[in-house]
């Protein structure tokens, strides 16, 4: 199986910045897609940003484009999310996601991190 481990969450003031990190490990043969979701209280989980294998550009939801930067280190099976100018409404649990294949399971499967709390408050 694939393990997904996150770090970097915490409390930040409005307008501040945080950098989230995520590492995937296991018998991975390929990670087709790797990125970040978030879920605020009372709301559904939403895609924030991701990077697909072989792509030179990342996807960002409209509300974060220009403020957030997602980057991927394919050699290390890691993905990062640099979040700048954070807003209180972006308080949520942030989840790392990977669509990956393994030696045991060649087809793509979804793997999720445990989630890390990001709180934007003064």
């Amino acid at each position: 199986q694939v393990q997904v481990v996150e770090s970097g969450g915490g409390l930040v003031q409005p307008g501040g910045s945080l950098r989230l990190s995520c590492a995937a490990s296991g018998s991975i043969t390929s990670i087709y897609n790797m990125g970040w979701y978030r879920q605020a209280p009372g709301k559904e989980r939403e895609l924030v940003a991701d990077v697909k294998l072989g792509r030179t550009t990342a996807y960002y939801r409209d509300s974060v484009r220009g403020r957030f930067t997602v980057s991927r280190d394919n050699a290390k099976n890691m993905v990062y999310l640099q979040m700048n100018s954070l807003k209180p409404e972006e308080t949520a649990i942030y989840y790392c996601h990977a669509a990956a294949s393994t030696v045991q399971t060649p087809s793509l499967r979804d793997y999720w991190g445990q989630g890390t709390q990001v709180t934007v408050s003064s």
Side-chain angles (χ1 to χ4, degrees):
Q1 288 292 322
V2 175
Q3 293 77 47
V4 180
V5 181
E6 301 151 314
S7 63
L11 175 64
V12 65
Q13 294 183 351
S17 299
L18 281 175
R19 186 174 189 252
L20 306 182
S21 300
C22 173
S25 61
S27 301
I28 299 169
T29 56
S30 179
I31 302 180
Y32 174 73
N33 194 6
M34 200 169 188
W36 297 90
Y37 289 70
R38 66 187 179 191
Q39 187 168 21
K43 296 185 178 180
E44 295 185 347
R45 188 175 300 187
E46 63 183 20
L47 176 62
V48 179
D50 64 12
V51 185
K52 295 180 173 62
L53 185 66
R55 304 299 197 277
T56 58
T57 59
Y59 166 82
Y60 299 93
R61 70 180 302 107
D62 289 344
S63 62
V64 309
R65 190 175 295 111
R67 297 185 297 114
F68 290 13
T69 302
V70 63
S71 58
R72 177 173 168 177
D73 187 335
N74 293 323
K76 297 180 179 179
N77 291 330
M78 296 191 70
V79 67
Y80 308 89
L81 185 66
Q82 177 67 45
M83 303 184 293
N84 298 326
S85 302
L86 281 161
K87 304 174 181 179
E89 57 265 36
E90 292 172 320
T91 293
I93 301 175
Y94 284 69
Y95 297 91
C96 182
H97 165 262
S101 60
T102 66
V103 173
Q104 183 180 4
T105 307
S107 60
L108 290 177
R109 299 287 181 91
D110 292 320
Y111 300 93
W112 294 90
Q114 76 285 355
T116 184
Q117 178 70 46
V118 173
T119 302
V120 185
S121 177
S122 59

